[in-house]
PDB file of all heavy atoms in Angstrom:
ATOM      1  N   TYR U1055      14.577   4.496   2.923  1.00 87.00           N
ATOM      2  CA  TYR U1055      14.977   3.663   1.770  1.00 87.00           C
ATOM      3  C   TYR U1055      15.644   4.496   0.712  1.00 87.00           C
ATOM      4  O   TYR U1055      16.673   4.085   0.136  1.00 87.00           O
ATOM      5  CB  TYR U1055      13.757   2.918   1.175  1.00 87.00           C
ATOM      6  CG  TYR U1055      14.082   2.040  -0.001  1.00 87.00           C
ATOM      7  CD1 TYR U1055      14.538   0.749   0.176  1.00 87.00           C
ATOM      8  CD2 TYR U1055      14.019   2.569  -1.256  1.00 87.00           C
ATOM      9  CE1 TYR U1055      14.866  -0.030  -0.923  1.00 87.00           C
ATOM     10  CE2 TYR U1055      14.342   1.801  -2.393  1.00 87.00           C
ATOM     11  CZ  TYR U1055      14.783   0.491  -2.167  1.00 87.00           C
ATOM     12  OH  TYR U1055      15.103  -0.283  -3.271  1.00 87.00           O
ATOM     13  N   HIS U1056      15.041   5.666   0.371  1.00 85.00           N
ATOM     14  CA  HIS U1056      15.667   6.518  -0.648  1.00 85.00           C
ATOM     15  C   HIS U1056      17.049   6.961  -0.237  1.00 85.00           C
ATOM     16  O   HIS U1056      17.939   6.945  -1.067  1.00 85.00           O
ATOM     17  CB  HIS U1056      14.732   7.740  -0.858  1.00 85.00           C
ATOM     18  CG  HIS U1056      15.423   8.793  -1.687  1.00 85.00           C
ATOM     19  ND1 HIS U1056      15.541   8.689  -3.084  1.00 85.00           N
ATOM     20  CD2 HIS U1056      15.965  10.002  -1.360  1.00 85.00           C
ATOM     21  CE1 HIS U1056      16.146   9.762  -3.547  1.00 85.00           C
ATOM     22  NE2 HIS U1056      16.402  10.590  -2.491  1.00 85.00           N
ATOM     23  N   VAL U1057      17.219   7.389   0.996  1.00 87.00           N
ATOM     24  CA  VAL U1057      18.518   7.905   1.421  1.00 87.00           C
ATOM     25  C   VAL U1057      19.559   6.768   1.419  1.00 87.00           C
ATOM     26  O   VAL U1057      20.706   6.954   1.008  1.00 87.00           O
ATOM     27  CB  VAL U1057      18.409   8.574   2.799  1.00 87.00           C
ATOM     28  CG1 VAL U1057      19.800   8.903   3.338  1.00 87.00           C
ATOM     29  CG2 VAL U1057      17.544   9.817   2.743  1.00 87.00           C
ATOM     30  N   ILE U1058      19.175   5.596   1.852  1.00 86.00           N
ATOM     31  CA  ILE U1058      20.087   4.447   1.935  1.00 86.00           C
ATOM     32  C   ILE U1058      20.542   4.011   0.533  1.00 86.00           C
ATOM     33  O   ILE U1058      21.716   3.710   0.309  1.00 86.00           O
ATOM     34  CB  ILE U1058      19.441   3.290   2.721  1.00 86.00           C
ATOM     35  CG1 ILE U1058      19.327   3.625   4.191  1.00 86.00           C
ATOM     36  CG2 ILE U1058      20.253   2.004   2.540  1.00 86.00           C
ATOM     37  CD1 ILE U1058      18.633   2.544   4.985  1.00 86.00           C
ATOM     38  N   THR U1059      19.589   4.071  -0.396  1.00 82.00           N
ATOM     39  CA  THR U1059      19.871   3.573  -1.731  1.00 82.00           C
ATOM     40  C   THR U1059      20.499   4.676  -2.613  1.00 82.00           C
ATOM     41  O   THR U1059      20.992   4.365  -3.748  1.00 82.00           O
ATOM     42  CB  THR U1059      18.690   3.038  -2.428  1.00 82.00           C
ATOM     43  OG1 THR U1059      17.621   3.997  -2.391  1.00 82.00           O
ATOM     44  CG2 THR U1059      18.197   1.769  -1.679  1.00 82.00           C
ATOM     45  N   SER U1060      20.486   5.911  -2.193  1.00 80.00           N
ATOM     46  CA  SER U1060      21.095   6.986  -2.962  1.00 80.00           C
ATOM     47  C   SER U1060      21.910   7.864  -1.980  1.00 80.00           C
ATOM     48  O   SER U1060      21.703   9.134  -1.896  1.00 80.00           O
ATOM     49  CB  SER U1060      20.011   7.851  -3.630  1.00 80.00           C
ATOM     50  OG  SER U1060      19.200   7.059  -4.501  1.00 80.00           O
ATOM     51  N   PRO U1061      22.857   7.364  -1.279  1.00 81.00           N
ATOM     52  CA  PRO U1061      23.573   8.076  -0.252  1.00 81.00           C
ATOM     53  C   PRO U1061      24.464   9.200  -0.816  1.00 81.00           C
ATOM     54  O   PRO U1061      24.747  10.163  -0.125  1.00 81.00           O
ATOM     55  CB  PRO U1061      24.414   7.001   0.455  1.00 81.00           C
ATOM     56  CG  PRO U1061      24.620   5.951  -0.603  1.00 81.00           C
ATOM     57  CD  PRO U1061      23.357   5.936  -1.379  1.00 81.00           C
ATOM     58  N   GLU U1062      24.921   9.036  -2.042  1.00 77.00           N
ATOM     59  CA  GLU U1062      25.840   9.998  -2.609  1.00 77.00           C
ATOM     60  C   GLU U1062      25.230  11.384  -2.713  1.00 77.00           C
ATOM     61  O   GLU U1062      25.951  12.404  -2.692  1.00 77.00           O
ATOM     62  CB  GLU U1062      26.372   9.523  -4.007  1.00 77.00           C
ATOM     63  CG  GLU U1062      25.288   9.379  -5.086  1.00 77.00           C
ATOM     64  CD  GLU U1062      24.490   8.124  -4.936  1.00 77.00           C
ATOM     65  OE1 GLU U1062      24.874   7.279  -4.115  1.00 77.00           O
ATOM     66  OE2 GLU U1062      23.538   7.933  -5.723  1.00 77.00           O
ATOM     67  N   LYS U1063      23.879  11.499  -2.815  1.00 78.00           N
ATOM     68  CA  LYS U1063      23.235  12.756  -2.941  1.00 78.00           C
ATOM     69  C   LYS U1063      23.313  13.558  -1.609  1.00 78.00           C
ATOM     70  O   LYS U1063      23.183  14.741  -1.633  1.00 78.00           O
ATOM     71  CB  LYS U1063      21.764  12.558  -3.301  1.00 78.00           C
ATOM     72  CG  LYS U1063      21.563  11.947  -4.679  1.00 78.00           C
ATOM     73  CD  LYS U1063      20.054  11.860  -4.999  1.00 78.00           C
ATOM     74  CE  LYS U1063      19.797  11.277  -6.373  1.00 78.00           C
ATOM     75  NZ  LYS U1063      18.357  11.160  -6.632  1.00 78.00           N
ATOM     76  N   TYR U1064      23.554  12.874  -0.553  1.00 82.00           N
ATOM     77  CA  TYR U1064      23.512  13.528   0.786  1.00 82.00           C
ATOM     78  C   TYR U1064      24.859  13.423   1.514  1.00 82.00           C
ATOM     79  O   TYR U1064      25.166  14.338   2.293  1.00 82.00           O
ATOM     80  CB  TYR U1064      22.364  12.908   1.612  1.00 82.00           C
ATOM     81  CG  TYR U1064      21.071  12.848   0.871  1.00 82.00           C
ATOM     82  CD1 TYR U1064      20.676  11.659   0.268  1.00 82.00           C
ATOM     83  CD2 TYR U1064      20.310  13.981   0.739  1.00 82.00           C
ATOM     84  CE1 TYR U1064      19.458  11.606  -0.415  1.00 82.00           C
ATOM     85  CE2 TYR U1064      19.131  13.946   0.008  1.00 82.00           C
ATOM     86  CZ  TYR U1064      18.701  12.760  -0.579  1.00 82.00           C
ATOM     87  OH  TYR U1064      17.541  12.684  -1.295  1.00 82.00           O
ATOM     88  N   PHE U1065      25.565  12.320   1.295  1.00 82.00           N
ATOM     89  CA  PHE U1065      26.803  12.139   2.063  1.00 82.00           C
ATOM     90  C   PHE U1065      28.040  11.977   1.207  1.00 82.00           C
ATOM     91  O   PHE U1065      29.129  11.815   1.708  1.00 82.00           O
ATOM     92  CB  PHE U1065      26.650  10.863   2.908  1.00 82.00           C
ATOM     93  CG  PHE U1065      25.404  10.904   3.774  1.00 82.00           C
ATOM     94  CD1 PHE U1065      24.353  10.054   3.471  1.00 82.00           C
ATOM     95  CD2 PHE U1065      25.295  11.718   4.877  1.00 82.00           C
ATOM     96  CE1 PHE U1065      23.156  10.068   4.237  1.00 82.00           C
ATOM     97  CE2 PHE U1065      24.123  11.725   5.621  1.00 82.00           C
ATOM     98  CZ  PHE U1065      23.081  10.932   5.328  1.00 82.00           C
ATOM     99  N   GLY U1066      27.890  12.116  -0.140  1.00 75.00           N
ATOM    100  CA  GLY U1066      28.963  12.009  -1.042  1.00 75.00           C
ATOM    101  C   GLY U1066      29.675  13.379  -1.200  1.00 75.00           C
ATOM    102  O   GLY U1066      29.349  14.308  -0.521  1.00 75.00           O
ATOM    103  N   ALA U1067      30.586  13.452  -2.175  1.00 76.00           N
ATOM    104  CA  ALA U1067      31.248  14.701  -2.450  1.00 76.00           C
ATOM    105  C   ALA U1067      30.207  15.730  -2.926  1.00 76.00           C
ATOM    106  O   ALA U1067      29.482  15.537  -3.862  1.00 76.00           O
ATOM    107  CB  ALA U1067      32.274  14.465  -3.537  1.00 76.00           C
ATOM    108  N   GLY U1068      30.243  16.867  -2.205  1.00 73.00           N
ATOM    109  CA  GLY U1068      29.296  17.934  -2.583  1.00 73.00           C
ATOM    110  C   GLY U1068      27.897  17.735  -2.012  1.00 73.00           C
ATOM    111  O   GLY U1068      26.999  18.543  -2.326  1.00 73.00           O
ATOM    112  N   GLY U1069      27.691  16.637  -1.260  1.00 75.00           N
ATOM    113  CA  GLY U1069      26.364  16.370  -0.777  1.00 75.00           C
ATOM    114  C   GLY U1069      26.026  17.213   0.446  1.00 75.00           C
ATOM    115  O   GLY U1069      26.933  17.797   1.046  1.00 75.00           O
ATOM    116  N   HIS U1070      24.799  17.234   0.803  1.00 77.00           N
ATOM    117  CA  HIS U1070      24.329  18.026   1.955  1.00 77.00           C
ATOM    118  C   HIS U1070      23.537  17.102   2.858  1.00 77.00           C
ATOM    119  O   HIS U1070      22.338  16.772   2.586  1.00 77.00           O
ATOM    120  CB  HIS U1070      23.424  19.170   1.516  1.00 77.00           C
ATOM    121  CG  HIS U1070      24.114  20.137   0.617  1.00 77.00           C
ATOM    122  ND1 HIS U1070      25.024  21.115   1.038  1.00 77.00           N
ATOM    123  CD2 HIS U1070      24.051  20.252  -0.745  1.00 77.00           C
ATOM    124  CE1 HIS U1070      25.490  21.782   0.000  1.00 77.00           C
ATOM    125  NE2 HIS U1070      24.899  21.293  -1.069  1.00 77.00           N
ATOM    126  N   PRO U1071      24.145  16.623   4.005  1.00 82.00           N
ATOM    127  CA  PRO U1071      23.483  15.648   4.888  1.00 82.00           C
ATOM    128  C   PRO U1071      22.099  16.117   5.382  1.00 82.00           C
ATOM    129  O   PRO U1071      21.195  15.290   5.463  1.00 82.00           O
ATOM    130  CB  PRO U1071      24.477  15.510   6.025  1.00 82.00           C
ATOM    131  CG  PRO U1071      25.781  15.853   5.424  1.00 82.00           C
ATOM    132  CD  PRO U1071      25.512  16.934   4.437  1.00 82.00           C
ATOM    133  N   LYS U1073      19.923  17.677   3.871  1.00 78.00           N
ATOM    134  CA  LYS U1073      18.931  17.530   2.812  1.00 78.00           C
ATOM    135  C   LYS U1073      18.236  16.176   2.869  1.00 78.00           C
ATOM    136  O   LYS U1073      17.193  15.981   2.213  1.00 78.00           O
ATOM    137  CB  LYS U1073      19.582  17.728   1.451  1.00 78.00           C
ATOM    138  CG  LYS U1073      20.028  19.176   1.172  1.00 78.00           C
ATOM    139  CD  LYS U1073      19.240  19.723   0.052  1.00 78.00           C
ATOM    140  CE  LYS U1073      19.644  21.180  -0.228  1.00 78.00           C
ATOM    141  NZ  LYS U1073      18.481  21.938  -0.637  1.00 78.00           N
ATOM    142  N   ALA U1074      18.810  15.280   3.642  1.00 81.00           N
ATOM    143  CA  ALA U1074      18.181  13.924   3.808  1.00 81.00           C
ATOM    144  C   ALA U1074      16.792  14.073   4.455  1.00 81.00           C
ATOM    145  O   ALA U1074      15.928  13.189   4.298  1.00 81.00           O
ATOM    146  CB  ALA U1074      19.037  13.024   4.596  1.00 81.00           C
ATOM    147  N   ASP U1226      16.097   7.722 -15.340  1.00 87.00           N
ATOM    148  CA  ASP U1226      16.598   8.606 -14.260  1.00 87.00           C
ATOM    149  C   ASP U1226      17.777   7.961 -13.559  1.00 87.00           C
ATOM    150  O   ASP U1226      18.006   6.760 -13.661  1.00 87.00           O
ATOM    151  CB  ASP U1226      15.488   8.850 -13.256  1.00 87.00           C
ATOM    152  CG  ASP U1226      14.812   7.593 -12.738  1.00 87.00           C
ATOM    153  OD1 ASP U1226      14.216   6.885 -13.559  1.00 87.00           O
ATOM    154  OD2 ASP U1226      14.901   7.336 -11.536  1.00 87.00           O
ATOM    155  N   GLU U1227      18.520   8.741 -12.798  1.00 84.00           N
ATOM    156  CA  GLU U1227      19.702   8.244 -12.149  1.00 84.00           C
ATOM    157  C   GLU U1227      19.336   7.218 -11.094  1.00 84.00           C
ATOM    158  O   GLU U1227      18.333   7.324 -10.385  1.00 84.00           O
ATOM    159  CB  GLU U1227      20.443   9.402 -11.411  1.00 84.00           C
ATOM    160  CG  GLU U1227      21.099  10.418 -12.367  1.00 84.00           C
ATOM    161  CD  GLU U1227      21.906  11.435 -11.620  1.00 84.00           C
ATOM    162  OE1 GLU U1227      22.058  11.311 -10.414  1.00 84.00           O
ATOM    163  OE2 GLU U1227      22.387  12.392 -12.274  1.00 84.00           O
ATOM    164  N   ALA U1228      20.161   6.150 -11.010  1.00 85.00           N
ATOM    165  CA  ALA U1228      19.956   5.072 -10.047  1.00 85.00           C
ATOM    166  C   ALA U1228      21.221   4.311  -9.897  1.00 85.00           C
ATOM    167  O   ALA U1228      22.062   4.259 -10.787  1.00 85.00           O
ATOM    168  CB  ALA U1228      18.803   4.167 -10.516  1.00 85.00           C
ATOM    169  N   ASN U1229      21.424   3.732  -8.707  1.00 86.00           N
ATOM    170  CA  ASN U1229      22.536   2.873  -8.483  1.00 86.00           C
ATOM    171  C   ASN U1229      22.328   1.527  -9.143  1.00 86.00           C
ATOM    172  O   ASN U1229      21.180   1.049  -9.221  1.00 86.00           O
ATOM    173  CB  ASN U1229      22.758   2.655  -6.959  1.00 86.00           C
ATOM    174  CG  ASN U1229      23.230   3.902  -6.277  1.00 86.00           C
ATOM    175  OD1 ASN U1229      24.046   4.680  -6.856  1.00 86.00           O
ATOM    176  ND2 ASN U1229      22.753   4.195  -5.084  1.00 86.00           N
ATOM    177  N   HIS U1230      23.365   0.893  -9.648  1.00 88.00           N
ATOM    178  CA  HIS U1230      23.283  -0.375 -10.351  1.00 88.00           C
ATOM    179  C   HIS U1230      24.110  -1.454  -9.662  1.00 88.00           C
ATOM    180  O   HIS U1230      25.111  -1.179  -9.004  1.00 88.00           O
ATOM    181  CB  HIS U1230      23.819  -0.192 -11.795  1.00 88.00           C
ATOM    182  CG  HIS U1230      22.923   0.614 -12.674  1.00 88.00           C
ATOM    183  ND1 HIS U1230      22.716   2.001 -12.490  1.00 88.00           N
ATOM    184  CD2 HIS U1230      22.140   0.301 -13.739  1.00 88.00           C
ATOM    185  CE1 HIS U1230      21.919   2.458 -13.426  1.00 88.00           C
ATOM    186  NE2 HIS U1230      21.539   1.397 -14.177  1.00 88.00           N
ATOM    187  N   LEU U1236      19.150  -0.960  -9.072  1.00 90.00           N
ATOM    188  CA  LEU U1236      18.916  -1.534  -7.730  1.00 90.00           C
ATOM    189  C   LEU U1236      17.456  -1.976  -7.557  1.00 90.00           C
ATOM    190  O   LEU U1236      17.171  -3.086  -6.995  1.00 90.00           O
ATOM    191  CB  LEU U1236      19.330  -0.578  -6.672  1.00 90.00           C
ATOM    192  CG  LEU U1236      19.038  -0.983  -5.204  1.00 90.00           C
ATOM    193  CD1 LEU U1236      19.795  -2.296  -4.858  1.00 90.00           C
ATOM    194  CD2 LEU U1236      19.435   0.137  -4.249  1.00 90.00           C
TER     195      LEU U1236
END
Side-chain angles (χ1 to χ4, degrees):
Y1055 179 87
H1056 169 75
V1057 173
I1058 290 177
T1059 55
S1060 303
E1062 63 280 354
K1063 295 182 179 180
Y1064 310 101
F1065 308 107
H1070 301 281
K1073 290 246 181 214
D1226 52 298
E1227 291 185 8
N1229 291 323
H1230 290 69
L1236 175 61

